[in-house]
Amino acid sequence: EAGVAQSPRYKIIEKRQSVAFWCNPISGHATLYWYQQILGQGPKLLIQFQNNGVVDDSQLPKDRFSAERLKGVDSTLKIQPAKLEDSAVYLCASSRSPPGTGVNEQFFGPGTRLTVL
Amino acid sequence: AQTVTQSQPEMSVQEAETVTLSCTYDTSESDYYLFWYKQPPSRQMILVIRQEAYKQQNATENRFSVNFQKAAKSFSLKISDSQLGDAAMYFCAYTTNAGKSTFGDGTTLTVKP
């Protein structure tokens, strides 16, 4: 089966600009995650979707970050306006299991490396 | 909030030897899941092994095994017969029943030939 796809792979922007990332999860996976991974740290959850509904967005900086999952499949993560501290790798992951039915592994995409100058 | 601590930023092992990576976590829940993921340089993160908290038996997957101590909230990963391809960053992840994961900051494993 095809893996989790993300684009773009790299993005360089100036601070205060906006940027959007795209993720296509593995077909049939109900749960989709966006993580922020700053260099030298572990992934930090930004938002978790089940189908097209938000399960958890408690760590999403909502004044500048937004995310949506259209029709329960693809997802986009947007940053507007970007700050220097947003420089990181943004990982998308998907999992077969909806919350509450047992937890399966997460399959990760290759990530988008964002540099904010 | 759950926290996951990996106290060894870097570890090194000789090829064919055994190495153990440490992970501790903090939670008030009794039912949860624990994972070890591997992130090779410039490559995608992949699952190494998983453990359900309600299972007393330690998980094993070929050369990889865990030592799960629920009371101590400890979840270490043992890699036996280390291979050059095991060199990577290893992340311990605590996951709730709702599927929400908290990751540690990782351990970089170097395998020496």
Side-chain angles (χ1 to χ4, degrees):
Chain A
E1 63 183 355
V4 176
Q6 289 188 249
S7 68
R9 293 294 310 277
Y10 304 91
K11 190 75 176 178
I12 300 174
I13 61 173
E14 301 278 337
K15 61 182 179 183
R16 290 188 289 273
Q17 286 186 324
S18 62
V19 64
F21 312 126
W22 174 82
C23 173
N24 187 310
I26 293 173
S27 177
H29 279 196
T31 308
L32 185 147
Y33 306 82
W34 281 104
Y35 291 92
Q36 180 191 60
Q37 186 177 19
I38 293 172
L39 186 64
Q41 298 181 16
K44 184 184 92 171
L45 179 68
L46 293 175
I47 190 166
Q48 176 186 349
F49 292 95
Q50 179 192 343
N51 298 315
N52 61 347
V54 176
V55 175
D56 190 303
D57 64 357
S58 58
Q59 299 186 94
L60 186 74
K62 298 180 185 64
D63 57 333
R64 298 185 301 107
F65 286 65
S66 64
E68 61 180 2
R69 188 180 184 194
L70 300 175
K71 300 180 181 178
V73 183
D74 292 9
S75 178
T76 56
L77 175 70
K78 296 178 182 178
I79 307 175
Q80 183 180 9
K83 293 184 175 182
L84 296 177
E85 58 261 36
D86 297 333
S87 294
V89 175
Y90 290 85
L91 296 170
C92 179
S94 70
S95 174
R96 183 177 296 112
S97 54
T101 65
V103 173
N104 292 321
E105 69 177 285
Q106 295 178 36
F107 292 82
F108 287 82
T112 297
R113 184 176 298 277
L114 173 67
T115 302
V116 182
L117 302 176
Chain B
Q2 289 85 13
T3 58
V4 177
T5 302
Q6 293 181 247
S7 60
Q8 307 151 315
E10 297 178 352
M11 289 286 283
S12 178
V13 64
Q14 206 70 32
E15 196 175 5
E17 298 291 305
T18 296
V19 65
T20 299
L21 308 184
S22 301
C23 173
T24 59
Y25 57 94
D26 183 30
T27 183
S28 57
E29 302 295 324
S30 61
D31 198 15
Y32 49 87
Y33 299 78
L34 296 164
F35 297 83
W36 279 99
Y37 287 92
K38 168 185 177 181
Q39 190 175 41
S42 302
R43 293 181 62 185
Q44 291 165 232
M45 197 174 310
I46 57 172
L47 176 71
V48 175
I49 198 166
R50 61 174 274 166
Q51 174 81 43
E52 293 87 345
Y54 63 84
K55 289 187 178 179
Q56 293 186 337
Q57 186 172 6
N58 288 326
T60 298
E61 194 72 40
N62 299 317
R63 298 182 294 107
F64 300 88
S65 61
V66 299
N67 183 2
F68 174 47
Q69 301 290 329
K70 190 171 184 179
K73 298 179 184 176
S74 171
F75 182 61
S76 61
L77 174 69
K78 186 171 83 171
I79 306 174
S80 304
D81 186 25
S82 297
Q83 300 176 1
L84 295 177
D86 295 333
M89 195 145 188
Y90 287 80
F91 291 97
C92 175
Y94 168 98
T95 302
T96 70
N97 271 331
K100 179 178 180 179
S101 292
T102 302
F103 286 76
D105 282 337
T107 296
T108 300
L109 178 66
T110 301
V111 181
K112 297 179 179 178

